[in-house]
Amino acid sequence: MKMSSKVTISRARLSDLKALIELENKAFHADRFSPDQLKHLLTKAKGAVLILRDGKKVAGSATVLWREGDSVARLYNLVVDPYFHGRGFGRRLLEAAERVALDIGRKVMSLEVRKDNEAAVSLYTRSGYKVTETLPGYYAGSATGLRRGWSPSHTAIV
């Protein structure tokens, strides 16, 4: 696969909705956002939807949510188009999401991940996310989830 020399990450806009829906459908067989959920995240949620492009192609996205007065941000979603796996785009999106959290004054990032999603579990482990809770039956098909937490100092884990 030819990779563009121009990889960018920016805030997604409503005009990106169709591409985000296509990305969800390519990457997930279950537990994916509906078009209405994505539209809400883009227009009404307290958060940021980031979109990664390789040239003009949408290759991934990440969603960070937060609450007023809370020190924790939540990585609500991170997805990379399977066509682009192995290019480090997940790591780049994760780092961008962490920067968003730090820029808005959040000291901790939490997330949930399917225990059987080996690539994501590996990424989060390498990035310093510690398991804080096991969540039996959390995902579709009764799949187990893992709640993980991270902070820049790696000491203030939720």
Side-chain angles (χ1 to χ4, degrees):
M1 164 183 44
K2 184 176 188 252
M3 188 165 68
S4 167
S5 61
K6 179 99 170 146
V7 175
T8 60
I9 298 175
S10 61
R11 291 242 180 153
R13 294 180 287 233
L14 191 54
S15 60
D16 295 313
L17 180 61
K18 183 179 178 193
L20 292 169
I21 292 167
E22 290 172 3
L23 181 62
E24 285 282 313
N25 289 331
K26 285 180 189 176
F28 299 123
H29 300 293
D31 298 314
R32 60 180 162 228
F33 289 137
S34 71
D36 286 342
Q37 288 170 315
L38 285 166
K39 186 176 182 181
H40 176 81
L41 290 169
L42 289 168
T43 61
K44 296 182 179 159
K46 190 77 169 167
V49 179
L50 304 174
I51 193 164
L52 183 144
R53 289 183 173 85
D54 181 22
K56 293 183 180 181
K57 295 180 187 239
V58 172
S61 73
T63 304
V64 181
L65 301 177
W66 56 84
R67 292 186 180 130
E68 285 299 322
D70 197 347
S71 64
V72 178
R74 180 175 178 211
L75 182 64
Y76 197 56
N77 186 18
L78 190 149
V79 58
V80 174
D81 183 325
Y83 181 79
F84 293 96
H85 283 183
R87 303 285 179 194
F89 290 171
R91 177 75 185 145
R92 289 173 89 162
L93 280 163
L94 181 59
E95 290 171 352
E98 291 168 349
R99 278 192 304 278
V100 167
L102 292 171
D103 287 349
I104 60 163
R106 299 316 188 258
K107 297 180 174 49
V108 175
M109 178 91 84
S110 71
L111 61 86
E112 293 81 30
V113 61
R114 283 179 68 111
K115 186 177 180 180
D116 62 359
N117 184 340
E118 294 175 13
V121 168
S122 177
L123 171 65
Y124 299 135
T125 300
R126 287 189 322 269
S127 300
Y129 286 77
K130 308 293 184 203
V131 175
T132 60
E133 187 177 357
T134 300
L135 307 164
Y138 189 78
Y139 288 100
S142 298
T144 298
L146 300 172
R147 183 163 288 134
R148 291 176 163 254
W150 168 91
S151 72
S153 67
H154 299 283
T155 58
I157 304 299
V158 292

